[in-house]
Amino acid sequence: MRVAIVGAGVAGLSCGQALLSAGAEVHWFDKGRATAGRASAKRAFGGHVDLGAQYFTARHVAFREQVERWQQQQLVAPWPAKLYSFAEGHLQPSADDIKRYVGLPAMHSPWRSGLPEQAITLSCRIQAMSYQQGWQLQAEDGRSFSGFDALVLALPPAQASELLTQDEDLRQQVPVSMLQPCHAIALALSEPIAHPATAVFVKDRPVSWVACNSDKPGRQSDSQHWVLHFNPEFSQQQLAARADELSLLAQAELSLLFQQDVLVTQSLHQRWLYAIVDAEQGAPGVLISRRFPCVVAGDWCLGGRVENAWLAGQQAAKAVFHV
Amino acid sequence: MRVAIVGAGVAGLSCGQALLSAGAEVHWFDKGRATAGRASAKRAFGGHVDLGAQYFTARHVAFREQVERWQQQQLVAPWPAKLYSFAEGHLQPSADDIKRYVGLPAMHSPWRSGLPEQAITLSCRIQAMSYQQGWQLQAEDGRSFSGFDALVLALPPAQASELLTQDEDLRQQVPVSMLQPCHAIALALSEPIAHPATAVFVKDRPVSWVACNSDKPGRQSDSQHWVLHFNPEFSQQQLAARADELSLLAQAELSLLFQQDVLVTQSLHQRWLYAIVDAEQGAPGVLISRRFPCVVAGDWCLGGRVENAWLAGQQAAKAVFHV
């Protein structure tokens, strides 16, 4: 069985790895220059900076077993963050004590481990798909790929929807506006912040998350640096904002949170167009076509978060054998 | 007044030209490498080949006046096609005698004439837009553009919809699946076809249109060549088909229509993802936001066809002054 997976983020990689283990032949396509999607980190500040996924939890037993294997391979470590919350102008320690993990040395490390490089086509935006006996895929640059028995769309819902022109029934089930945007900014500081907090959940401010990336286990770095996520409402409203504007705002937020001046030496911006699940829209589950051997999967199928991306990928792999 | 127009197809160019005449400052953005969208021709076979729009009509008085001006500038000429229809296996002359025009020397020529080159940014896919006092646009390659008082999305509905994340009300009005795909194939022949027909409307076959491009006025060419359009149903079903497969099919169709062998020396393929209006979905008109100074326009607003793209652009320009 030959399976094409469009989207090599956490869900797509999880699905493909499960299919490989089950003996299928797998090929991934991704428009990005690297795998792991929102879990991919950027090289900067003398190491890797996690601009997307900040950590992950392991509530589900199957994922916990996977995380344990990764820990043995030193691809994952617990992150004993000093967690605070900021609300109504007050910064205080958080009672939240759920176990958080990060990839080593960067967030993408566990997902990329053991991938067969020759089975991955990067910088390749699939623009059209059609089914006649097998699947045929057309990339924007004119390349054509064919002979797949099944297809997994491991994409944000808006992008999956665009490809499903042949399958109106399935397309109708895709919640196109479910993933909300997120502006992420990383700031390298000339002086470390003098405060015990290493991660802060923020309320009622433009930012919703602040974390000291250089505090995470196994991170190399030439200076203390922080990652800030702007909340979905702000990110949506300022969707086209420039990196320099956002950096200044992030600096001001950091300063306000910790009540001290911060001097920024370098900054980094990433706009995630499709990042945060809108929980009010529910969770549709992994979607399976009734017309073609095609499955649609992503974190958004199960309510968002890294762990659910992995689980959705596993479910999609099972579904592939029944389509 | 500074206006950004995303999409430099016929509607976008028409809109921008009208705005320029009214004294506005206009900037166009297009993801393609050239302007005129579906009216753009490709360089091939020793000249230009019209793979998209095949001709245009001028039913509306305002457009007729525009076409007359273009005729005086030798940018447009009538195309006295020898029109046939093919149905139930029979090829016969068509009674249709509406006046058809083509651009000179290529279909895109009139639309591109008089464009201020410095006001056009090509190969630039706008990925996000947000409004705060003025519009800010973000391109996929990271470039940022700001300071626009109004914005016109002159795009296929699916692409306009993707950008309208800030304006759910307007997004709901965009008929995302209204434009159907079209595979276009051009075939250069070693021997001319021995038949008087130069254009054929085809029924009940995979192709719906066949025309002798080298017969059009003012076309340079090193051989007789024909353009075939596959119908929306076939194009949808075979959306990811390869160029070589489609060329063979087109050759067989041409042979069947004219009941003679045709020998192909070169072929050319273009897949239009969004091409033909699904007339059953009605015509929503030019769409105007109630929240932001933003207008959405395209041929699909008025039922499709080149003339309606031009008219929609003119209407959008008027609307811009009232948003």
Side-chain angles (χ1 to χ4, degrees):
Chain A
M1 183 176 219
R2 219 170 151 236
V3 185
I5 302 181
V6 181
V10 170
L13 294 176
S14 155
C15 175
Q17 295 276 33
L19 287 168
L20 284 173
S21 302
E25 190 186 330
V26 173
H27 202 102
W28 286 274
F29 301 90
D30 199 287
K31 72 182 178 68
R33 276 173 297 178
T35 55
R38 279 168 281 160
S40 66
K42 268 195 180 175
R43 257 182 208 288
F45 310 157
H48 283 100
V49 180
D50 303 331
L51 281 165
Q54 294 293 296
Y55 58 81
F56 51 88
T57 54
R59 295 172 169 95
H60 191 283
V61 60
F63 188 57
R64 219 152 45 219
E65 288 168 11
Q66 176 64 70
V67 169
E68 274 161 27
R69 284 192 294 276
W70 282 333
Q71 271 193 272
Q72 284 156 15
Q73 299 168 271
Q74 298 192 291
L75 290 165
V76 157
W79 177 33
K82 294 185 196 73
L83 198 68
Y84 278 63
S85 66
F86 183 89
E88 294 169 357
H90 299 292
L91 185 64
Q92 51 188 43
S94 166
D96 173 346
D97 65 349
I98 190 161
K99 198 156 188 182
R100 293 180 165 80
Y101 299 89
V102 294
L104 278 185
M107 194 55 74
H108 50 238
S109 306
W111 321 103
R112 289 188 188 164
S113 155
L115 285 182
E117 292 297 326
Q118 74 287 357
I120 307 174
T121 302
L122 295 172
S123 302
C124 178
R125 183 197 287 264
I126 299 299
Q127 204 181 19
M129 53 189 240
S130 54
Y131 186 79
Q132 287 272 319
Q133 285 140 1
W135 283 105
Q136 196 158 39
L137 305 175
Q138 265 280 351
E140 194 177 43
D141 60 14
R143 279 183 289 175
S144 186
F145 307 91
S146 58
F148 299 103
D149 305 300
L151 175 63
V152 178
L153 299 182
L155 295 170
Q159 290 167 359
S161 168
E162 250 196 295
L163 285 172
L164 289 171
T165 50
Q166 258 189 318
D167 197 336
E168 195 54 29
D169 175 53
L170 183 56
R171 200 225 281 249
Q172 295 285 351
Q173 297 174 57
V174 176
V176 286
S177 60
M178 192 174 217
L179 281 183
Q180 305 167 294
C182 175
H183 279 299
I185 289 282
L187 301 176
L189 308 185
S190 60
E191 295 288 332
I193 283 177
H195 194 284
T198 58
V200 186
F201 285 111
V202 185
K203 276 198 177 146
D204 309 321
R205 300 289 316 162
V207 302
S208 53
W209 169 259
V210 171
C212 184
N213 191 72
S214 46
D215 172 71
K216 290 180 178 176
R219 261 62 183 167
Q220 292 193 314
S221 166
D222 49 23
S223 61
Q224 194 190 63
H225 59 267
W226 293 73
V227 170
L228 296 90
H229 280 175
F230 286 89
N231 69 38
E233 295 69 36
F234 177 91
S235 299
Q236 179 63 69
Q237 209 173 40
Q238 299 279 349
L239 195 56
R242 288 201 316 271
D244 56 342
E245 299 167 343
L246 293 167
S247 288
L248 284 174
L249 260 168
Q251 183 179 3
E253 290 289 303
L254 205 55
S255 194
L256 178 111
L257 248 65
F258 292 119
Q259 293 290 310
Q260 52 192 268
D261 285 340
V262 295
L263 196 64
V264 171
T265 55
Q266 288 179 82
S267 73
L268 206 62
H269 171 232
Q270 172 97 40
R271 185 190 54 223
W272 302 101
L273 264 184
Y274 305 109
I276 312 282
V277 160
D278 178 5
E280 287 176 22
Q281 294 191 40
V286 164
L287 303 175
I288 301 167
S289 170
R290 279 178 236 166
R291 290 189 60 192
F292 304 106
C294 175
V295 179
V296 184
D299 64 330
W300 52 272
C301 294
L302 303 175
R305 296 190 294 109
V306 178
E307 178 173 3
N308 283 324
W310 186 86
L311 285 167
Q314 300 288 308
Q315 290 182 17
K318 286 202 185 97
V320 160
F321 286 107
H322 298 104
V323 289
Chain B
M1 183 176 219
R2 220 169 151 237
V3 185
I5 302 180
V6 181
V10 170
L13 294 176
S14 156
C15 175
Q17 296 276 33
L19 287 168
L20 284 173
S21 302
E25 191 186 330
V26 173
H27 203 101
W28 287 274
F29 301 90
D30 198 287
K31 73 183 177 67
R33 276 173 297 177
T35 55
R38 280 168 280 159
S40 66
K42 269 195 180 175
R43 256 180 208 289
F45 310 157
H48 283 99
V49 181
D50 303 331
L51 281 165
Q54 295 293 296
Y55 58 81
F56 51 88
T57 54
R59 294 172 169 95
H60 191 283
V61 59
F63 188 56
R64 220 153 45 220
E65 288 168 10
Q66 176 64 69
V67 169
E68 274 162 26
R69 283 192 295 275
W70 282 332
Q71 271 193 272
Q72 284 157 15
Q73 299 168 271
Q74 297 192 290
L75 290 165
V76 157
W79 177 33
K82 293 184 197 73
L83 198 67
Y84 278 63
S85 66
F86 183 89
E88 294 168 358
H90 299 292
L91 186 63
Q92 51 188 43
S94 167
D96 173 345
D97 65 348
I98 190 162
K99 197 156 188 182
R100 294 180 165 80
Y101 299 89
V102 294
L104 278 185
M107 194 56 73
H108 50 237
S109 306
W111 321 103
R112 289 188 188 164
S113 154
L115 285 181
E117 292 297 326
Q118 74 286 357
I120 307 173
T121 302
L122 295 172
S123 302
C124 178
R125 184 197 287 264
I126 299 299
Q127 203 181 19
M129 53 188 240
S130 54
Y131 186 79
Q132 286 271 320
Q133 285 139 2
W135 283 105
Q136 196 158 39
L137 305 175
Q138 265 280 350
E140 194 177 44
D141 59 14
R143 278 183 289 175
S144 186
F145 307 91
S146 58
F148 300 103
D149 305 301
L151 176 63
V152 178
L153 299 182
L155 295 169
Q159 290 167 359
S161 168
E162 250 197 294
L163 285 172
L164 289 171
T165 51
Q166 258 190 318
D167 196 337
E168 196 54 30
D169 175 53
L170 183 56
R171 201 225 280 250
Q172 295 285 351
Q173 298 174 57
V174 177
V176 285
S177 60
M178 192 174 217
L179 281 183
Q180 305 167 294
C182 175
H183 278 300
I185 289 281
L187 301 175
L189 308 185
S190 61
E191 295 288 332
I193 283 177
H195 194 284
T198 57
V200 186
F201 286 110
V202 185
K203 276 198 178 147
D204 309 321
R205 300 288 318 160
V207 302
S208 53
W209 169 259
V210 171
C212 185
N213 191 73
S214 46
D215 171 71
K216 289 180 178 176
R219 261 63 183 167
Q220 291 192 315
S221 167
D222 49 23
S223 61
Q224 194 190 62
H225 58 267
W226 292 74
V227 170
L228 296 90
H229 281 175
F230 286 89
N231 69 38
E233 295 69 35
F234 177 90
S235 300
Q236 179 63 68
Q237 209 173 40
Q238 299 279 349
L239 195 56
R242 288 202 316 271
D244 56 342
E245 299 167 343
L246 293 167
S247 288
L248 284 174
L249 260 169
Q251 183 179 3
E253 290 289 303
L254 205 55
S255 194
L256 177 111
L257 248 65
F258 292 119
Q259 292 291 309
Q260 52 192 269
D261 285 340
V262 295
L263 197 64
V264 170
T265 55
Q266 288 179 82
S267 73
L268 205 62
H269 171 232
Q270 171 96 40
R271 185 190 55 224
W272 303 102
L273 264 184
Y274 304 109
I276 312 282
V277 160
D278 178 4
E280 286 175 22
Q281 293 191 40
V286 164
L287 303 175
I288 302 167
S289 170
R290 279 177 236 166
R291 289 189 60 193
F292 303 107
C294 175
V295 179
V296 183
D299 63 330
W300 52 272
C301 294
L302 304 176
R305 296 191 294 109
V306 178
E307 178 173 3
N308 283 324
W310 185 86
L311 285 168
Q314 300 287 308
Q315 290 181 17
K318 286 202 185 96
V320 160
F321 286 107
H322 298 104
V323 290

